[in-house]
């Protein structure tokens, strides 16, 4: 068993009322959550977002990235539709952890880009893994999704696990003068599908 379901509760937000579901990763001991809204048990593909934790962007409103605006966009989109889910994965800093992300930020302040900084610290440019997605989706009986992402790697990861990605919904938000070069690196070095 890859993940263990722990608990569910109501989560009222400014975008509407979600339910929050907690899961324990039995391999890494990380704690992940899934936000859901509406009835997921129908055959209609579910609008979904796979979102990796970003404390600086999601909670502290950093403008160095576009993570917070992407999360908010996903919540709004799901609320508008009245049905959907967000898999919130605890893999800060593209999988390198919070403190290493701050070290990478320091290198970026000295001129490295986001990929170069991770590599200089001895990490892959993107060390995130998505193996926990399928068992969490299985918990809700979801096998087809409309994926909110600009990252083709997420589409590939879910497809390889047997999840049908019916379509990809682009997220075009969060661009500002502090993250222009960061977003350019996402496109040019990581293959993200963002219109420039």
């Amino acid at each position: 068993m890859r993940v263990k379901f722990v608990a569910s509760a109501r989560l009222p937000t400014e975008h509407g009322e979600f339910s929050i579901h907690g899961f324990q990763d039995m391999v890494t001991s990380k704690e992940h959550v899934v936000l859901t809204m509406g009835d997921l048990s129908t055959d209609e593909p579910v609008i979904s977002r796979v979102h990796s934790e970003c404390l600086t962007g999601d909670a502290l409103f950093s403008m160095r990235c576009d993570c917070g605006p992407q999360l908010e966009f996903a919540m709004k989109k799901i609320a508008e539709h009245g049905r959907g889910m967000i898999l919130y994965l605890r893999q800060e800093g593209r999988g390198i952890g919070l403190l290493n992300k701050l070290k990478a930020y320091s290198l970026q302040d000295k001129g490295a880009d986001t990929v170069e900084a991770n590599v200089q610290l001895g990490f892959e440019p993107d060390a995130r893994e998505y193996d926990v997605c399928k068992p969490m989706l299985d918990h809700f009986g979801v096998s087809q999704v409309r994926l909110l992402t600009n990252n083709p790697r997420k589409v590939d990861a879910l497809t390889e696990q047997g999840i049908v990605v019916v379509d990809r919904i682009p997220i075009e938000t969060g661009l500002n003068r502090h993250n222009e070069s960061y977003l350019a690196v996402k496109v040019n070095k990581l293959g993200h599908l963002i219109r420039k």
Side-chain angles (χ1 to χ4, degrees), residues 105-141:
Y105 274 1
S106 179
L107 291 172
Q108 290 168 43
D109 288 344
K110 296 176 176 74
D113 69 34
T114 180
V115 166
E116 293 164 349
N118 278 21
V119 170
Q120 285 176 32
L121 291 171
F123 298 105
E124 294 292 322
D126 188 342
R128 291 175 293 180
E129 297 180 354
Y130 302 102
D131 296 349
V132 295
C133 293
K134 186 174 190 315
M136 290 195 292
L137 289 166
D138 286 348
H139 176 84
F140 299 98

PDB file of all heavy atoms in Angstrom, residues 105-141:
ATOM      1  N   TYR A 105      17.731  29.791  -3.841  1.00  0.00           N
ATOM      2  CA  TYR A 105      17.377  31.210  -3.977  1.00  0.00           C
ATOM      3  C   TYR A 105      18.623  32.086  -3.825  1.00  0.00           C
ATOM      4  O   TYR A 105      18.810  33.052  -4.560  1.00  0.00           O
ATOM      5  CB  TYR A 105      16.352  31.613  -2.910  1.00  0.00           C
ATOM      6  CG  TYR A 105      14.903  31.358  -3.251  1.00  0.00           C
ATOM      7  CD1 TYR A 105      14.503  30.779  -4.443  1.00  0.00           C
ATOM      8  CD2 TYR A 105      13.913  31.721  -2.342  1.00  0.00           C
ATOM      9  CE1 TYR A 105      13.176  30.560  -4.728  1.00  0.00           C
ATOM     10  CE2 TYR A 105      12.567  31.511  -2.617  1.00  0.00           C
ATOM     11  CZ  TYR A 105      12.204  30.929  -3.811  1.00  0.00           C
ATOM     12  OH  TYR A 105      10.882  30.730  -4.086  1.00  0.00           O
ATOM     13  N   SER A 106      19.466  31.743  -2.853  1.00  0.00           N
ATOM     14  CA  SER A 106      20.679  32.525  -2.617  1.00  0.00           C
ATOM     15  C   SER A 106      21.587  32.492  -3.849  1.00  0.00           C
ATOM     16  O   SER A 106      22.163  33.516  -4.248  1.00  0.00           O
ATOM     17  CB  SER A 106      21.414  31.982  -1.394  1.00  0.00           C
ATOM     18  OG  SER A 106      22.597  32.709  -1.154  1.00  0.00           O
ATOM     19  N   LEU A 107      21.716  31.298  -4.456  1.00  0.00           N
ATOM     20  CA  LEU A 107      22.510  31.190  -5.684  1.00  0.00           C
ATOM     21  C   LEU A 107      21.874  31.982  -6.828  1.00  0.00           C
ATOM     22  O   LEU A 107      22.572  32.601  -7.633  1.00  0.00           O
ATOM     23  CB  LEU A 107      22.658  29.719  -6.087  1.00  0.00           C
ATOM     24  CG  LEU A 107      23.535  28.865  -5.165  1.00  0.00           C
ATOM     25  CD1 LEU A 107      23.439  27.399  -5.547  1.00  0.00           C
ATOM     26  CD2 LEU A 107      24.989  29.338  -5.196  1.00  0.00           C
ATOM     27  N   GLN A 108      20.541  31.988  -6.875  1.00  0.00           N
ATOM     28  CA  GLN A 108      19.847  32.769  -7.902  1.00  0.00           C
ATOM     29  C   GLN A 108      20.090  34.270  -7.697  1.00  0.00           C
ATOM     30  O   GLN A 108      20.225  35.030  -8.659  1.00  0.00           O
ATOM     31  CB  GLN A 108      18.354  32.454  -7.885  1.00  0.00           C
ATOM     32  CG  GLN A 108      18.023  31.053  -8.394  1.00  0.00           C
ATOM     33  CD  GLN A 108      16.585  30.673  -8.105  1.00  0.00           C
ATOM     34  OE1 GLN A 108      15.678  31.477  -8.278  1.00  0.00           O
ATOM     35  NE2 GLN A 108      16.374  29.444  -7.656  1.00  0.00           N
ATOM     36  N   ASP A 109      20.153  34.687  -6.432  1.00  0.00           N
ATOM     37  CA  ASP A 109      20.442  36.097  -6.148  1.00  0.00           C
ATOM     38  C   ASP A 109      21.825  36.501  -6.658  1.00  0.00           C
ATOM     39  O   ASP A 109      22.084  37.673  -6.917  1.00  0.00           O
ATOM     40  CB  ASP A 109      20.356  36.373  -4.644  1.00  0.00           C
ATOM     41  CG  ASP A 109      18.932  36.349  -4.111  1.00  0.00           C
ATOM     42  OD1 ASP A 109      17.981  36.423  -4.926  1.00  0.00           O
ATOM     43  OD2 ASP A 109      18.770  36.236  -2.875  1.00  0.00           O
ATOM     44  N   LYS A 110      22.703  35.481  -6.805  1.00  0.00           N
ATOM     45  CA  LYS A 110      24.067  35.746  -7.297  1.00  0.00           C
ATOM     46  C   LYS A 110      24.179  35.549  -8.807  1.00  0.00           C
ATOM     47  O   LYS A 110      25.277  35.617  -9.353  1.00  0.00           O
ATOM     48  CB  LYS A 110      25.055  34.845  -6.564  1.00  0.00           C
ATOM     49  CG  LYS A 110      25.155  35.114  -5.066  1.00  0.00           C
ATOM     50  CD  LYS A 110      26.093  34.115  -4.392  1.00  0.00           C
ATOM     51  CE  LYS A 110      26.278  34.418  -2.922  1.00  0.00           C
ATOM     52  NZ  LYS A 110      25.100  34.058  -2.124  1.00  0.00           N
ATOM     53  N   GLY A 111      23.050  35.222  -9.477  1.00  0.00           N
ATOM     54  CA  GLY A 111      23.078  35.146 -10.936  1.00  0.00           C
ATOM     55  C   GLY A 111      22.712  33.813 -11.567  1.00  0.00           C
ATOM     56  O   GLY A 111      22.518  33.745 -12.778  1.00  0.00           O
ATOM     57  N   ALA A 112      22.655  32.733 -10.778  1.00  0.00           N
ATOM     58  CA  ALA A 112      22.268  31.438 -11.347  1.00  0.00           C
ATOM     59  C   ALA A 112      20.772  31.435 -11.654  1.00  0.00           C
ATOM     60  O   ALA A 112      20.000  32.132 -10.995  1.00  0.00           O
ATOM     61  CB  ALA A 112      22.600  30.312 -10.360  1.00  0.00           C
ATOM     62  N   ASP A 113      20.373  30.656 -12.657  1.00  0.00           N
ATOM     63  CA  ASP A 113      18.935  30.495 -12.859  1.00  0.00           C
ATOM     64  C   ASP A 113      18.442  29.328 -11.998  1.00  0.00           C
ATOM     65  O   ASP A 113      19.232  28.663 -11.317  1.00  0.00           O
ATOM     66  CB  ASP A 113      18.577  30.350 -14.343  1.00  0.00           C
ATOM     67  CG  ASP A 113      19.037  29.038 -14.980  1.00  0.00           C
ATOM     68  OD1 ASP A 113      19.053  27.988 -14.300  1.00  0.00           O
ATOM     69  OD2 ASP A 113      19.366  29.056 -16.186  1.00  0.00           O
ATOM     70  N   THR A 114      17.151  29.070 -12.027  1.00  0.00           N
ATOM     71  CA  THR A 114      16.564  28.075 -11.114  1.00  0.00           C
ATOM     72  C   THR A 114      17.094  26.660 -11.377  1.00  0.00           C
ATOM     73  O   THR A 114      17.297  25.885 -10.447  1.00  0.00           O
ATOM     74  CB  THR A 114      15.020  28.120 -11.194  1.00  0.00           C
ATOM     75  OG1 THR A 114      14.478  27.158 -10.314  1.00  0.00           O
ATOM     76  CG2 THR A 114      14.506  27.836 -12.596  1.00  0.00           C
ATOM     77  N   VAL A 115      17.354  26.321 -12.633  1.00  0.00           N
ATOM     78  CA  VAL A 115      17.908  25.007 -12.961  1.00  0.00           C
ATOM     79  C   VAL A 115      19.374  24.936 -12.539  1.00  0.00           C
ATOM     80  O   VAL A 115      19.806  23.978 -11.885  1.00  0.00           O
ATOM     81  CB  VAL A 115      17.753  24.709 -14.468  1.00  0.00           C
ATOM     82  CG1 VAL A 115      18.610  23.520 -14.893  1.00  0.00           C
ATOM     83  CG2 VAL A 115      16.283  24.449 -14.798  1.00  0.00           C
ATOM     84  N   GLU A 116      20.149  25.956 -12.888  1.00  0.00           N
ATOM     85  CA  GLU A 116      21.576  25.977 -12.529  1.00  0.00           C
ATOM     86  C   GLU A 116      21.767  25.901 -11.023  1.00  0.00           C
ATOM     87  O   GLU A 116      22.671  25.196 -10.536  1.00  0.00           O
ATOM     88  CB  GLU A 116      22.227  27.255 -13.070  1.00  0.00           C
ATOM     89  CG  GLU A 116      22.298  27.316 -14.581  1.00  0.00           C
ATOM     90  CD  GLU A 116      22.582  28.706 -15.118  1.00  0.00           C
ATOM     91  OE1 GLU A 116      22.518  29.691 -14.340  1.00  0.00           O
ATOM     92  OE2 GLU A 116      22.864  28.819 -16.326  1.00  0.00           O
ATOM     93  N   ALA A 117      20.918  26.592 -10.265  1.00  0.00           N
ATOM     94  CA  ALA A 117      21.052  26.597  -8.809  1.00  0.00           C
ATOM     95  C   ALA A 117      20.834  25.190  -8.237  1.00  0.00           C
ATOM     96  O   ALA A 117      21.608  24.735  -7.384  1.00  0.00           O
ATOM     97  CB  ALA A 117      20.054  27.581  -8.190  1.00  0.00           C
ATOM     98  N   ASN A 118      19.802  24.493  -8.700  1.00  0.00           N
ATOM     99  CA  ASN A 118      19.565  23.135  -8.212  1.00  0.00           C
ATOM    100  C   ASN A 118      20.743  22.217  -8.540  1.00  0.00           C
ATOM    101  O   ASN A 118      21.188  21.430  -7.707  1.00  0.00           O
ATOM    102  CB  ASN A 118      18.274  22.562  -8.819  1.00  0.00           C
ATOM    103  CG  ASN A 118      17.028  23.009  -8.085  1.00  0.00           C
ATOM    104  OD1 ASN A 118      17.041  24.009  -7.382  1.00  0.00           O
ATOM    105  ND2 ASN A 118      15.951  22.270  -8.245  1.00  0.00           N
ATOM    106  N   VAL A 119      21.260  22.329  -9.760  1.00  0.00           N
ATOM    107  CA  VAL A 119      22.378  21.483 -10.192  1.00  0.00           C
ATOM    108  C   VAL A 119      23.635  21.808  -9.381  1.00  0.00           C
ATOM    109  O   VAL A 119      24.363  20.901  -8.952  1.00  0.00           O
ATOM    110  CB  VAL A 119      22.627  21.635 -11.708  1.00  0.00           C
ATOM    111  CG1 VAL A 119      23.921  20.951 -12.126  1.00  0.00           C
ATOM    112  CG2 VAL A 119      21.440  21.075 -12.495  1.00  0.00           C
ATOM    113  N   GLN A 120      23.889  23.091  -9.122  1.00  0.00           N
ATOM    114  CA  GLN A 120      25.060  23.476  -8.315  1.00  0.00           C
ATOM    115  C   GLN A 120      24.990  22.901  -6.904  1.00  0.00           C
ATOM    116  O   GLN A 120      26.018  22.626  -6.282  1.00  0.00           O
ATOM    117  CB  GLN A 120      25.174  25.005  -8.249  1.00  0.00           C
ATOM    118  CG  GLN A 120      25.681  25.641  -9.526  1.00  0.00           C
ATOM    119  CD  GLN A 120      25.691  27.156  -9.459  1.00  0.00           C
ATOM    120  OE1 GLN A 120      25.902  27.750  -8.402  1.00  0.00           O
ATOM    121  NE2 GLN A 120      25.461  27.803 -10.598  1.00  0.00           N
ATOM    122  N   LEU A 121      23.763  22.688  -6.414  1.00  0.00           N
ATOM    123  CA  LEU A 121      23.583  22.097  -5.080  1.00  0.00           C
ATOM    124  C   LEU A 121      23.621  20.573  -5.111  1.00  0.00           C
ATOM    125  O   LEU A 121      23.482  19.926  -4.069  1.00  0.00           O
ATOM    126  CB  LEU A 121      22.257  22.575  -4.471  1.00  0.00           C
ATOM    127  CG  LEU A 121      22.193  24.054  -4.090  1.00  0.00           C
ATOM    128  CD1 LEU A 121      20.774  24.452  -3.714  1.00  0.00           C
ATOM    129  CD2 LEU A 121      23.160  24.365  -2.946  1.00  0.00           C
ATOM    130  N   GLY A 122      23.785  19.992  -6.304  1.00  0.00           N
ATOM    131  CA  GLY A 122      23.891  18.542  -6.416  1.00  0.00           C
ATOM    132  C   GLY A 122      22.575  17.831  -6.667  1.00  0.00           C
ATOM    133  O   GLY A 122      22.490  16.602  -6.491  1.00  0.00           O
ATOM    134  N   PHE A 123      21.546  18.571  -7.088  1.00  0.00           N
ATOM    135  CA  PHE A 123      20.234  17.984  -7.333  1.00  0.00           C
ATOM    136  C   PHE A 123      19.897  17.987  -8.818  1.00  0.00           C
ATOM    137  O   PHE A 123      20.512  18.699  -9.605  1.00  0.00           O
ATOM    138  CB  PHE A 123      19.144  18.769  -6.581  1.00  0.00           C
ATOM    139  CG  PHE A 123      19.303  18.763  -5.097  1.00  0.00           C
ATOM    140  CD1 PHE A 123      19.758  19.892  -4.426  1.00  0.00           C
ATOM    141  CD2 PHE A 123      19.005  17.631  -4.354  1.00  0.00           C
ATOM    142  CE1 PHE A 123      19.910  19.897  -3.053  1.00  0.00           C
ATOM    143  CE2 PHE A 123      19.141  17.621  -2.977  1.00  0.00           C
ATOM    144  CZ  PHE A 123      19.596  18.756  -2.319  1.00  0.00           C
ATOM    145  N   GLU A 124      18.889  17.200  -9.172  1.00  0.00           N
ATOM    146  CA  GLU A 124      18.320  17.253 -10.514  1.00  0.00           C
ATOM    147  C   GLU A 124      17.630  18.612 -10.687  1.00  0.00           C
ATOM    148  O   GLU A 124      17.190  19.209  -9.705  1.00  0.00           O
ATOM    149  CB  GLU A 124      17.298  16.136 -10.701  1.00  0.00           C
ATOM    150  CG  GLU A 124      17.880  14.735 -10.661  1.00  0.00           C
ATOM    151  CD  GLU A 124      18.773  14.460 -11.866  1.00  0.00           C
ATOM    152  OE1 GLU A 124      18.444  14.917 -12.979  1.00  0.00           O
ATOM    153  OE2 GLU A 124      19.809  13.798 -11.682  1.00  0.00           O
ATOM    154  N   PRO A 125      17.483  19.083 -11.917  1.00  0.00           N
ATOM    155  CA  PRO A 125      16.728  20.327 -12.129  1.00  0.00           C
ATOM    156  C   PRO A 125      15.308  20.236 -11.577  1.00  0.00           C
ATOM    157  O   PRO A 125      14.770  21.213 -11.060  1.00  0.00           O
ATOM    158  CB  PRO A 125      16.717  20.480 -13.653  1.00  0.00           C
ATOM    159  CG  PRO A 125      17.943  19.757 -14.108  1.00  0.00           C
ATOM    160  CD  PRO A 125      18.092  18.595 -13.165  1.00  0.00           C
ATOM    161  N   ASP A 126      14.699  19.048 -11.669  1.00  0.00           N
ATOM    162  CA  ASP A 126      13.353  18.821 -11.125  1.00  0.00           C
ATOM    163  C   ASP A 126      13.333  17.422 -10.520  1.00  0.00           C
ATOM    164  O   ASP A 126      13.334  16.425 -11.247  1.00  0.00           O
ATOM    165  CB  ASP A 126      12.299  18.955 -12.220  1.00  0.00           C
ATOM    166  CG  ASP A 126      10.877  18.931 -11.679  1.00  0.00           C
ATOM    167  OD1 ASP A 126      10.681  18.479 -10.534  1.00  0.00           O
ATOM    168  OD2 ASP A 126       9.957  19.349 -12.405  1.00  0.00           O
ATOM    169  N   ALA A 127      13.359  17.347  -9.190  1.00  0.00           N
ATOM    170  CA  ALA A 127      13.433  16.056  -8.487  1.00  0.00           C
ATOM    171  C   ALA A 127      12.074  15.574  -7.994  1.00  0.00           C
ATOM    172  O   ALA A 127      12.002  14.657  -7.179  1.00  0.00           O
ATOM    173  CB  ALA A 127      14.419  16.177  -7.314  1.00  0.00           C
ATOM    174  N   ARG A 128      11.000  16.186  -8.476  1.00  0.00           N
ATOM    175  CA  ARG A 128       9.676  15.784  -8.005  1.00  0.00           C
ATOM    176  C   ARG A 128       9.284  14.411  -8.550  1.00  0.00           C
ATOM    177  O   ARG A 128       9.692  14.021  -9.634  1.00  0.00           O
ATOM    178  CB  ARG A 128       8.627  16.817  -8.417  1.00  0.00           C
ATOM    179  CG  ARG A 128       8.775  18.136  -7.690  1.00  0.00           C
ATOM    180  CD  ARG A 128       7.808  19.160  -8.194  1.00  0.00           C
ATOM    181  NE  ARG A 128       8.102  19.549  -9.572  1.00  0.00           N
ATOM    182  CZ  ARG A 128       7.388  20.443 -10.258  1.00  0.00           C
ATOM    183  NH1 ARG A 128       6.337  21.014  -9.714  1.00  0.00           N
ATOM    184  NH2 ARG A 128       7.734  20.762 -11.494  1.00  0.00           N
ATOM    185  N   GLU A 129       8.475  13.712  -7.769  1.00  0.00           N
ATOM    186  CA  GLU A 129       7.940  12.415  -8.168  1.00  0.00           C
ATOM    187  C   GLU A 129       6.431  12.448  -8.014  1.00  0.00           C
ATOM    188  O   GLU A 129       5.897  13.166  -7.172  1.00  0.00           O
ATOM    189  CB  GLU A 129       8.540  11.300  -7.304  1.00  0.00           C
ATOM    190  CG  GLU A 129      10.049  11.156  -7.475  1.00  0.00           C
ATOM    191  CD  GLU A 129      10.632  10.048  -6.626  1.00  0.00           C
ATOM    192  OE1 GLU A 129       9.887   9.450  -5.811  1.00  0.00           O
ATOM    193  OE2 GLU A 129      11.833   9.786  -6.770  1.00  0.00           O
ATOM    194  N   TYR A 130       5.762  11.639  -8.826  1.00  0.00           N
ATOM    195  CA  TYR A 130       4.296  11.675  -8.846  1.00  0.00           C
ATOM    196  C   TYR A 130       3.673  10.298  -8.598  1.00  0.00           C
ATOM    197  O   TYR A 130       2.504  10.089  -8.898  1.00  0.00           O
ATOM    198  CB  TYR A 130       3.823  12.260 -10.180  1.00  0.00           C
ATOM    199  CG  TYR A 130       4.368  13.652 -10.426  1.00  0.00           C
ATOM    200  CD1 TYR A 130       5.443  13.865 -11.281  1.00  0.00           C
ATOM    201  CD2 TYR A 130       3.831  14.756  -9.763  1.00  0.00           C
ATOM    202  CE1 TYR A 130       5.956  15.140 -11.484  1.00  0.00           C
ATOM    203  CE2 TYR A 130       4.337  16.028  -9.952  1.00  0.00           C
ATOM    204  CZ  TYR A 130       5.394  16.209 -10.813  1.00  0.00           C
ATOM    205  OH  TYR A 130       5.906  17.479 -11.001  1.00  0.00           O
ATOM    206  N   ASP A 131       4.448   9.372  -8.030  1.00  0.00           N
ATOM    207  CA  ASP A 131       3.959   8.008  -7.809  1.00  0.00           C
ATOM    208  C   ASP A 131       2.763   7.941  -6.864  1.00  0.00           C
ATOM    209  O   ASP A 131       1.997   6.984  -6.911  1.00  0.00           O
ATOM    210  CB  ASP A 131       5.078   7.123  -7.255  1.00  0.00           C
ATOM    211  CG  ASP A 131       6.233   6.950  -8.237  1.00  0.00           C
ATOM    212  OD1 ASP A 131       6.083   7.338  -9.416  1.00  0.00           O
ATOM    213  OD2 ASP A 131       7.284   6.442  -7.830  1.00  0.00           O
ATOM    214  N   VAL A 132       2.625   8.925  -5.988  1.00  0.00           N
ATOM    215  CA  VAL A 132       1.509   8.887  -5.026  1.00  0.00           C
ATOM    216  C   VAL A 132       0.189   9.314  -5.658  1.00  0.00           C
ATOM    217  O   VAL A 132      -0.877   9.132  -5.058  1.00  0.00           O
ATOM    218  CB  VAL A 132       1.785   9.786  -3.789  1.00  0.00           C
ATOM    219  CG1 VAL A 132       2.967   9.261  -2.997  1.00  0.00           C
ATOM    220  CG2 VAL A 132       1.983  11.231  -4.191  1.00  0.00           C
ATOM    221  N   CYS A 133       0.237   9.888  -6.859  1.00  0.00           N
ATOM    222  CA  CYS A 133      -0.998  10.416  -7.461  1.00  0.00           C
ATOM    223  C   CYS A 133      -2.024   9.328  -7.735  1.00  0.00           C
ATOM    224  O   CYS A 133      -3.203   9.477  -7.390  1.00  0.00           O
ATOM    225  CB  CYS A 133      -0.675  11.169  -8.750  1.00  0.00           C
ATOM    226  SG  CYS A 133       0.278  12.676  -8.495  1.00  0.00           S
ATOM    227  N   LYS A 134      -1.605   8.237  -8.360  1.00  0.00           N
ATOM    228  CA  LYS A 134      -2.583   7.208  -8.726  1.00  0.00           C
ATOM    229  C   LYS A 134      -3.289   6.621  -7.514  1.00  0.00           C
ATOM    230  O   LYS A 134      -4.522   6.526  -7.508  1.00  0.00           O
ATOM    231  CB  LYS A 134      -1.957   6.104  -9.570  1.00  0.00           C
ATOM    232  CG  LYS A 134      -3.027   5.110 -10.060  1.00  0.00           C
ATOM    233  CD  LYS A 134      -2.493   4.089 -11.014  1.00  0.00           C
ATOM    234  CE  LYS A 134      -3.582   3.280 -11.681  1.00  0.00           C
ATOM    235  NZ  LYS A 134      -4.651   2.793 -10.826  1.00  0.00           N
ATOM    236  N   PRO A 135      -2.580   6.196  -6.451  1.00  0.00           N
ATOM    237  CA  PRO A 135      -3.325   5.660  -5.313  1.00  0.00           C
ATOM    238  C   PRO A 135      -4.277   6.662  -4.666  1.00  0.00           C
ATOM    239  O   PRO A 135      -5.341   6.287  -4.173  1.00  0.00           O
ATOM    240  CB  PRO A 135      -2.241   5.191  -4.335  1.00  0.00           C
ATOM    241  CG  PRO A 135      -0.952   5.698  -4.848  1.00  0.00           C
ATOM    242  CD  PRO A 135      -1.128   6.015  -6.292  1.00  0.00           C
ATOM    243  N   MET A 136      -3.920   7.951  -4.691  1.00  0.00           N
ATOM    244  CA  MET A 136      -4.839   8.956  -4.151  1.00  0.00           C
ATOM    245  C   MET A 136      -6.042   9.133  -5.071  1.00  0.00           C
ATOM    246  O   MET A 136      -7.177   9.238  -4.608  1.00  0.00           O
ATOM    247  CB  MET A 136      -4.111  10.281  -3.902  1.00  0.00           C
ATOM    248  CG  MET A 136      -3.135  10.201  -2.737  1.00  0.00           C
ATOM    249  SD  MET A 136      -2.559  11.813  -2.124  1.00  0.00           S
ATOM    250  CE  MET A 136      -1.574  12.374  -3.487  1.00  0.00           C
ATOM    251  N   LEU A 137      -5.811   9.146  -6.380  1.00  0.00           N
ATOM    252  CA  LEU A 137      -6.927   9.230  -7.322  1.00  0.00           C
ATOM    253  C   LEU A 137      -7.814   7.984  -7.214  1.00  0.00           C
ATOM    254  O   LEU A 137      -9.045   8.080  -7.250  1.00  0.00           O
ATOM    255  CB  LEU A 137      -6.402   9.398  -8.753  1.00  0.00           C
ATOM    256  CG  LEU A 137      -5.778  10.757  -9.071  1.00  0.00           C
ATOM    257  CD1 LEU A 137      -5.000  10.691 -10.390  1.00  0.00           C
ATOM    258  CD2 LEU A 137      -6.819  11.853  -9.132  1.00  0.00           C
ATOM    259  N   ASP A 138      -7.172   6.826  -7.050  1.00  0.00           N
ATOM    260  CA  ASP A 138      -7.930   5.575  -6.888  1.00  0.00           C
ATOM    261  C   ASP A 138      -8.853   5.631  -5.678  1.00  0.00           C
ATOM    262  O   ASP A 138      -9.962   5.093  -5.708  1.00  0.00           O
ATOM    263  CB  ASP A 138      -6.986   4.385  -6.738  1.00  0.00           C
ATOM    264  CG  ASP A 138      -6.302   3.983  -8.044  1.00  0.00           C
ATOM    265  OD1 ASP A 138      -6.728   4.471  -9.122  1.00  0.00           O
ATOM    266  OD2 ASP A 138      -5.342   3.191  -7.985  1.00  0.00           O
ATOM    267  N   HIS A 139      -8.393   6.276  -4.611  1.00  0.00           N
ATOM    268  CA  HIS A 139      -9.204   6.396  -3.394  1.00  0.00           C
ATOM    269  C   HIS A 139     -10.555   7.038  -3.704  1.00  0.00           C
ATOM    270  O   HIS A 139     -11.571   6.694  -3.085  1.00  0.00           O
ATOM    271  CB  HIS A 139      -8.451   7.216  -2.340  1.00  0.00           C
ATOM    272  CG  HIS A 139      -9.231   7.467  -1.096  1.00  0.00           C
ATOM    273  ND1 HIS A 139      -9.299   6.547  -0.070  1.00  0.00           N
ATOM    274  CD2 HIS A 139      -9.993   8.526  -0.708  1.00  0.00           C
ATOM    275  CE1 HIS A 139     -10.069   7.033   0.895  1.00  0.00           C
ATOM    276  NE2 HIS A 139     -10.499   8.237   0.528  1.00  0.00           N
ATOM    277  N   PHE A 140     -10.561   7.960  -4.655  1.00  0.00           N
ATOM    278  CA  PHE A 140     -11.794   8.662  -5.019  1.00  0.00           C
ATOM    279  C   PHE A 140     -12.480   8.052  -6.241  1.00  0.00           C
ATOM    280  O   PHE A 140     -13.484   8.566  -6.714  1.00  0.00           O
ATOM    281  CB  PHE A 140     -11.493  10.147  -5.275  1.00  0.00           C
ATOM    282  CG  PHE A 140     -10.937  10.865  -4.086  1.00  0.00           C
ATOM    283  CD1 PHE A 140      -9.564  11.061  -3.955  1.00  0.00           C
ATOM    284  CD2 PHE A 140     -11.771  11.318  -3.067  1.00  0.00           C
ATOM    285  CE1 PHE A 140      -9.035  11.705  -2.845  1.00  0.00           C
ATOM    286  CE2 PHE A 140     -11.243  11.969  -1.956  1.00  0.00           C
ATOM    287  CZ  PHE A 140      -9.884  12.156  -1.845  1.00  0.00           C
ATOM    288  N   GLY A 141     -11.906   6.976  -6.765  1.00  0.00           N
ATOM    289  CA  GLY A 141     -12.478   6.340  -7.941  1.00  0.00           C
ATOM    290  C   GLY A 141     -12.318   7.155  -9.208  1.00  0.00           C
ATOM    291  O   GLY A 141     -13.102   7.021 -10.152  1.00  0.00           O
TER     292      GLY A 141
END
